Amino acid sequence: EAQLLESGGGLVQPGGSLRLSCRASGVSVSRSYINWVRQSRGKGPEWVSVIQRSGRTFYADSVNGRFTVSRDESQDTVYLQMNSLRVEDTAIYYCATASNGVADAFDVWGLGTVVTVSS
Amino acid sequence: DIVLTQSPLSLAVTPGEPASISCKSSQSLLHRNGYNYLAWYLQKPGQSPQLLIYLGSDRASGAPGRFSGSGSATDFTLKISRVEAEDAGIYFCMHALQTPYTFGQGTKLEIK
């Protein structure tokens, strides 16, 4: 059974940095599209980034240039490096993927990790 | 970016009655491969979203048979044939045609 587990969230001041991790089991990050999706309190989900099977990466405009997604295939882990954090980046961050290895929908989600940006 | 507009934003349904949610896209979600890249999710309080429908009308593994998806291009519908108490939560549509993927605003389903 495919599972994802996020970690690395916490409290950080505006302008600070944080690195989130998404550890995969039952699915290989090198053969999957691993997405990051965030959700602010009381709001709908917002797609943030994806790292494709090829290694290509894409970002939402709101984080482009500040966030970087990468992976360590030996650890089956995907990372989201978040720099120049803003108050509006405060959210639960989920990683999500399709267990069939295609990019049509997310049937596997982690439990999320909470990021709070505040002074 | 593709904008997804859901309606209604909330509805209250008696158990055993049907429910329907609409999702309209600002651009066609029909890929040249013939598939519509539209999915439906249910999010219950304190939980991660769970996939119900993908590619417009394919039911996800584990999704109850009372859930069905229909539509094509810019107009999609999620139907629940007979609502049960466990169906309460917020329903989101999401497209995966191209990045950035976007979500609808959500529809809150309340059980009477």
Short mmCIF file of all heavy atoms in Angstrom, two decimals, chain A residues 35 37 39 44-47 50 58 94 103-107 109-111, chain B residues 1 37 39 41 43 47-49 51 54-55 92 94 96 99-101 103:
data_model
loop_
_atom_site.label_atom_id
_atom_site.label_comp_id
_atom_site.label_asym_id
_atom_site.label_seq_id
_atom_site.Cartn_x
_atom_site.Cartn_y
_atom_site.Cartn_z
N ASN A 35 3.50 15.63 -5.74
CA ASN A 35 3.02 17.01 -5.67
C ASN A 35 3.03 17.52 -4.24
O ASN A 35 2.90 16.74 -3.29
CB ASN A 35 1.58 17.08 -6.18
CG ASN A 35 1.46 16.73 -7.65
OD1 ASN A 35 1.46 17.59 -8.51
ND2 ASN A 35 1.35 15.44 -7.94
N VAL A 37 0.78 20.19 -2.01
CA VAL A 37 -0.47 20.93 -1.99
C VAL A 37 -0.60 21.55 -0.60
O VAL A 37 -0.32 20.87 0.40
CB VAL A 37 -1.68 20.01 -2.26
CG1 VAL A 37 -2.99 20.79 -2.13
CG2 VAL A 37 -1.56 19.37 -3.64
N GLN A 39 -2.91 24.05 2.26
CA GLN A 39 -4.27 24.48 2.60
C GLN A 39 -4.22 25.37 3.83
O GLN A 39 -3.84 24.95 4.92
CB GLN A 39 -5.16 23.26 2.87
CG GLN A 39 -6.63 23.58 3.01
CD GLN A 39 -7.48 22.33 3.01
OE1 GLN A 39 -7.04 21.26 3.40
NE2 GLN A 39 -8.73 22.46 2.59
N GLY A 44 -9.74 26.39 0.67
CA GLY A 44 -9.57 25.20 -0.15
C GLY A 44 -8.11 24.90 -0.42
O GLY A 44 -7.24 25.73 -0.17
N PRO A 45 -7.83 23.72 -0.93
CA PRO A 45 -6.44 23.36 -1.24
C PRO A 45 -5.88 24.23 -2.37
O PRO A 45 -6.61 24.70 -3.23
CB PRO A 45 -6.55 21.89 -1.70
CG PRO A 45 -7.87 21.41 -1.20
CD PRO A 45 -8.77 22.61 -1.22
N GLU A 46 -4.57 24.40 -2.33
CA GLU A 46 -3.84 25.14 -3.36
C GLU A 46 -2.64 24.30 -3.79
O GLU A 46 -1.79 23.96 -2.96
CB GLU A 46 -3.37 26.50 -2.84
CG GLU A 46 -2.54 27.28 -3.86
CD GLU A 46 -1.83 28.48 -3.25
OE1 GLU A 46 -1.74 28.59 -2.02
OE2 GLU A 46 -1.34 29.32 -4.04
N TRP A 47 -2.59 23.98 -5.08
CA TRP A 47 -1.44 23.24 -5.59
C TRP A 47 -0.21 24.14 -5.55
O TRP A 47 -0.28 25.31 -5.91
CB TRP A 47 -1.73 22.78 -7.00
CG TRP A 47 -0.57 22.07 -7.65
CD1 TRP A 47 -0.22 20.76 -7.51
CD2 TRP A 47 0.39 22.66 -8.52
NE1 TRP A 47 0.91 20.50 -8.25
CE2 TRP A 47 1.30 21.64 -8.88
CE3 TRP A 47 0.58 23.94 -9.04
CZ2 TRP A 47 2.38 21.86 -9.73
CZ3 TRP A 47 1.65 24.17 -9.89
CH2 TRP A 47 2.54 23.14 -10.22
N VAL A 50 5.22 20.32 -8.28
CA VAL A 50 5.31 18.91 -8.64
C VAL A 50 6.73 18.62 -9.11
O VAL A 50 7.37 19.46 -9.74
CB VAL A 50 4.29 18.53 -9.74
CG1 VAL A 50 4.56 19.29 -11.03
CG2 VAL A 50 4.30 17.02 -9.99
N PHE A 58 7.76 21.94 -11.53
CA PHE A 58 6.88 23.04 -11.84
C PHE A 58 6.35 23.63 -10.53
O PHE A 58 6.22 22.92 -9.53
CB PHE A 58 5.70 22.57 -12.70
CG PHE A 58 6.11 22.07 -14.06
CD1 PHE A 58 6.43 20.74 -14.25
CD2 PHE A 58 6.19 22.94 -15.14
CE1 PHE A 58 6.82 20.26 -15.49
CE2 PHE A 58 6.59 22.49 -16.38
CZ PHE A 58 6.90 21.15 -16.55
N TYR A 94 0.67 19.33 2.33
CA TYR A 94 0.51 17.91 2.04
C TYR A 94 1.38 17.54 0.84
O TYR A 94 1.53 18.33 -0.10
CB TYR A 94 -0.93 17.59 1.65
CG TYR A 94 -1.99 17.89 2.67
CD1 TYR A 94 -2.75 19.06 2.60
CD2 TYR A 94 -2.30 16.97 3.67
CE1 TYR A 94 -3.75 19.32 3.51
CE2 TYR A 94 -3.31 17.23 4.60
CZ TYR A 94 -4.03 18.40 4.50
OH TYR A 94 -5.04 18.65 5.41
N ALA A 103 -0.33 11.21 -13.99
CA ALA A 103 -0.51 12.56 -13.43
C ALA A 103 -1.95 13.02 -13.53
O ALA A 103 -2.21 14.20 -13.72
CB ALA A 103 0.39 13.53 -14.16
N ASP A 104 -2.90 12.08 -13.36
CA ASP A 104 -4.29 12.49 -13.57
C ASP A 104 -5.04 12.89 -12.31
O ASP A 104 -5.99 13.64 -12.39
CB ASP A 104 -5.05 11.37 -14.30
CG ASP A 104 -4.90 10.01 -13.63
OD1 ASP A 104 -4.40 9.96 -12.49
OD2 ASP A 104 -5.27 9.00 -14.25
N ALA A 105 -4.64 12.38 -11.16
CA ALA A 105 -5.32 12.72 -9.90
C ALA A 105 -4.48 12.18 -8.75
O ALA A 105 -3.57 11.39 -8.97
CB ALA A 105 -6.73 12.12 -9.87
N PHE A 106 -4.82 12.59 -7.53
CA PHE A 106 -4.03 12.20 -6.36
C PHE A 106 -4.85 11.25 -5.49
O PHE A 106 -5.77 11.68 -4.80
CB PHE A 106 -3.64 13.42 -5.53
CG PHE A 106 -3.07 14.57 -6.32
CD1 PHE A 106 -3.29 15.88 -5.90
CD2 PHE A 106 -2.32 14.37 -7.47
CE1 PHE A 106 -2.76 16.95 -6.61
CE2 PHE A 106 -1.80 15.43 -8.19
CZ PHE A 106 -2.02 16.73 -7.76
N ASP A 107 -4.49 9.97 -5.52
CA ASP A 107 -5.21 9.03 -4.68
C ASP A 107 -4.46 8.70 -3.40
O ASP A 107 -4.97 8.01 -2.52
CB ASP A 107 -5.54 7.73 -5.44
CG ASP A 107 -4.32 6.95 -5.85
OD1 ASP A 107 -3.26 7.59 -6.05
OD2 ASP A 107 -4.40 5.72 -5.97
N TRP A 109 -2.42 10.66 -0.29
CA TRP A 109 -2.09 11.91 0.39
C TRP A 109 -1.42 11.59 1.72
O TRP A 109 -1.77 10.62 2.39
CB TRP A 109 -3.35 12.72 0.68
CG TRP A 109 -4.07 13.26 -0.50
CD1 TRP A 109 -4.78 12.54 -1.42
CD2 TRP A 109 -4.19 14.64 -0.89
NE1 TRP A 109 -5.33 13.39 -2.36
CE2 TRP A 109 -4.99 14.68 -2.05
CE3 TRP A 109 -3.71 15.84 -0.37
CZ2 TRP A 109 -5.30 15.88 -2.71
CZ3 TRP A 109 -4.02 17.03 -1.00
CH2 TRP A 109 -4.81 17.04 -2.16
N GLY A 110 -0.49 12.44 2.11
CA GLY A 110 0.04 12.34 3.46
C GLY A 110 -0.92 13.00 4.45
O GLY A 110 -1.97 13.52 4.06
N LEU A 111 -0.54 12.97 5.71
CA LEU A 111 -1.36 13.58 6.76
C LEU A 111 -1.14 15.08 6.86
O LEU A 111 -1.94 15.80 7.47
CB LEU A 111 -1.06 12.93 8.11
CG LEU A 111 -1.38 11.45 8.21
CD1 LEU A 111 -0.97 10.91 9.58
CD2 LEU A 111 -2.86 11.19 7.96
N ASP B 1 -4.33 30.93 -15.80
CA ASP B 1 -4.65 29.72 -15.05
C ASP B 1 -6.11 29.33 -15.27
O ASP B 1 -6.97 30.18 -15.48
CB ASP B 1 -4.42 29.96 -13.56
CG ASP B 1 -2.97 30.26 -13.21
OD1 ASP B 1 -2.12 30.24 -14.12
OD2 ASP B 1 -2.71 30.52 -12.02
N TYR B 37 -9.37 15.73 -17.71
CA TYR B 37 -8.51 15.72 -16.53
C TYR B 37 -9.15 16.49 -15.37
O TYR B 37 -8.65 17.52 -14.92
CB TYR B 37 -7.12 16.25 -16.88
CG TYR B 37 -6.29 15.18 -17.56
CD1 TYR B 37 -6.62 14.73 -18.83
CD2 TYR B 37 -5.21 14.60 -16.92
CE1 TYR B 37 -5.88 13.72 -19.45
CE2 TYR B 37 -4.46 13.60 -17.51
CZ TYR B 37 -4.81 13.16 -18.78
OH TYR B 37 -4.10 12.16 -19.39
N ALA B 39 -10.97 15.81 -11.49
CA ALA B 39 -11.14 14.88 -10.39
C ALA B 39 -12.01 15.52 -9.30
O ALA B 39 -12.12 16.75 -9.22
CB ALA B 39 -9.78 14.50 -9.80
N TYR B 41 -12.82 15.35 -5.04
CA TYR B 41 -12.31 14.94 -3.73
C TYR B 41 -13.32 15.29 -2.65
O TYR B 41 -14.07 16.26 -2.78
CB TYR B 41 -11.00 15.67 -3.40
CG TYR B 41 -9.86 15.39 -4.35
CD1 TYR B 41 -9.72 16.13 -5.51
CD2 TYR B 41 -8.94 14.39 -4.10
CE1 TYR B 41 -8.69 15.88 -6.40
CE2 TYR B 41 -7.90 14.13 -4.98
CZ TYR B 41 -7.78 14.88 -6.13
OH TYR B 41 -6.75 14.62 -7.00
N GLN B 43 -13.23 16.12 1.46
CA GLN B 43 -12.40 16.36 2.63
C GLN B 43 -13.27 16.45 3.88
O GLN B 43 -14.14 17.32 3.97
CB GLN B 43 -11.57 17.64 2.48
CG GLN B 43 -10.56 17.82 3.63
CD GLN B 43 -9.63 18.98 3.40
OE1 GLN B 43 -9.98 19.98 2.78
NE2 GLN B 43 -8.39 18.86 3.89
N GLN B 47 -9.09 15.92 8.19
CA GLN B 47 -8.49 14.87 7.37
C GLN B 47 -7.93 15.43 6.06
O GLN B 47 -8.28 16.53 5.65
CB GLN B 47 -9.53 13.79 7.04
CG GLN B 47 -10.04 13.04 8.25
CD GLN B 47 -10.97 11.89 7.85
OE1 GLN B 47 -11.02 11.49 6.68
NE2 GLN B 47 -11.70 11.37 8.82
N SER B 48 -7.08 14.65 5.43
CA SER B 48 -6.60 14.98 4.09
C SER B 48 -7.71 14.72 3.09
O SER B 48 -8.60 13.89 3.35
CB SER B 48 -5.39 14.10 3.74
OG SER B 48 -4.41 14.15 4.74
N PRO B 49 -7.68 15.40 1.95
CA PRO B 49 -8.67 15.10 0.92
C PRO B 49 -8.56 13.64 0.48
O PRO B 49 -7.48 13.05 0.50
CB PRO B 49 -8.28 16.05 -0.22
CG PRO B 49 -7.55 17.17 0.45
CD PRO B 49 -6.81 16.52 1.59
N LEU B 51 -9.67 10.96 -2.72
CA LEU B 51 -10.11 10.94 -4.12
C LEU B 51 -11.38 10.11 -4.27
O LEU B 51 -11.46 8.98 -3.79
CB LEU B 51 -8.99 10.36 -4.98
CG LEU B 51 -9.26 10.26 -6.48
CD1 LEU B 51 -9.41 11.64 -7.10
CD2 LEU B 51 -8.15 9.47 -7.18
N TYR B 54 -11.84 10.31 -10.81
CA TYR B 54 -10.75 10.86 -11.61
C TYR B 54 -11.09 10.69 -13.09
O TYR B 54 -11.99 9.92 -13.44
CB TYR B 54 -9.41 10.19 -11.27
CG TYR B 54 -9.35 8.70 -11.58
CD1 TYR B 54 -8.70 8.24 -12.72
CD2 TYR B 54 -9.94 7.77 -10.73
CE1 TYR B 54 -8.65 6.90 -13.01
CE2 TYR B 54 -9.88 6.42 -11.01
CZ TYR B 54 -9.24 5.98 -12.15
OH TYR B 54 -9.18 4.63 -12.44
N LEU B 55 -10.39 11.44 -13.92
CA LEU B 55 -10.66 11.46 -15.36
C LEU B 55 -12.15 11.67 -15.66
O LEU B 55 -12.71 11.09 -16.59
CB LEU B 55 -10.15 10.18 -16.02
CG LEU B 55 -8.62 10.00 -15.96
CD1 LEU B 55 -8.22 8.68 -16.60
CD2 LEU B 55 -7.91 11.15 -16.64
N PHE B 92 -14.42 19.04 -3.38
CA PHE B 92 -13.64 19.89 -4.28
C PHE B 92 -13.47 19.22 -5.63
O PHE B 92 -13.24 18.02 -5.70
CB PHE B 92 -12.23 20.14 -3.72
CG PHE B 92 -12.16 20.88 -2.42
CD1 PHE B 92 -12.02 20.21 -1.22
CD2 PHE B 92 -12.20 22.27 -2.40
CE1 PHE B 92 -11.95 20.89 -0.02
CE2 PHE B 92 -12.13 22.97 -1.20
CZ PHE B 92 -12.01 22.27 -0.01
N MET B 94 -10.93 19.38 -9.01
CA MET B 94 -9.56 19.78 -9.31
C MET B 94 -9.22 19.35 -10.72
O MET B 94 -9.58 18.25 -11.14
CB MET B 94 -8.57 19.10 -8.35
CG MET B 94 -7.12 19.55 -8.53
SD MET B 94 -5.90 18.39 -7.87
CE MET B 94 -5.70 17.29 -9.29
N ALA B 96 -6.21 18.51 -13.62
CA ALA B 96 -4.79 18.13 -13.74
C ALA B 96 -4.38 18.15 -15.21
O ALA B 96 -3.51 17.38 -15.63
CB ALA B 96 -4.56 16.76 -13.13
N THR B 99 -0.07 22.29 -15.50
CA THR B 99 0.24 23.09 -14.33
C THR B 99 0.03 24.57 -14.64
O THR B 99 0.24 24.99 -15.78
CB THR B 99 1.70 22.87 -13.87
OG1 THR B 99 2.59 23.23 -14.93
CG2 THR B 99 1.93 21.42 -13.48
N PRO B 100 -0.42 25.37 -13.69
CA PRO B 100 -0.75 24.99 -12.32
C PRO B 100 -2.09 24.28 -12.22
O PRO B 100 -3.08 24.71 -12.79
CB PRO B 100 -0.80 26.34 -11.60
CG PRO B 100 -1.26 27.30 -12.65
CD PRO B 100 -0.64 26.82 -13.93
N TYR B 101 -2.11 23.16 -11.49
CA TYR B 101 -3.39 22.52 -11.20
C TYR B 101 -4.17 23.46 -10.28
O TYR B 101 -3.59 24.14 -9.43
CB TYR B 101 -3.17 21.18 -10.49
CG TYR B 101 -2.25 20.23 -11.22
CD1 TYR B 101 -1.44 19.35 -10.52
CD2 TYR B 101 -2.19 20.18 -12.61
CE1 TYR B 101 -0.61 18.47 -11.17
CE2 TYR B 101 -1.35 19.31 -13.27
CZ TYR B 101 -0.56 18.45 -12.55
OH TYR B 101 0.29 17.57 -13.18
N PHE B 103 -8.00 24.08 -7.92
CA PHE B 103 -9.15 23.49 -7.25
C PHE B 103 -10.35 24.45 -7.33
O PHE B 103 -10.18 25.67 -7.40
CB PHE B 103 -8.85 23.24 -5.77
CG PHE B 103 -7.85 22.15 -5.51
CD1 PHE B 103 -6.49 22.40 -5.60
CD2 PHE B 103 -8.26 20.87 -5.15
CE1 PHE B 103 -5.55 21.41 -5.35
CE2 PHE B 103 -7.34 19.87 -4.88
CZ PHE B 103 -5.99 20.14 -4.99
#
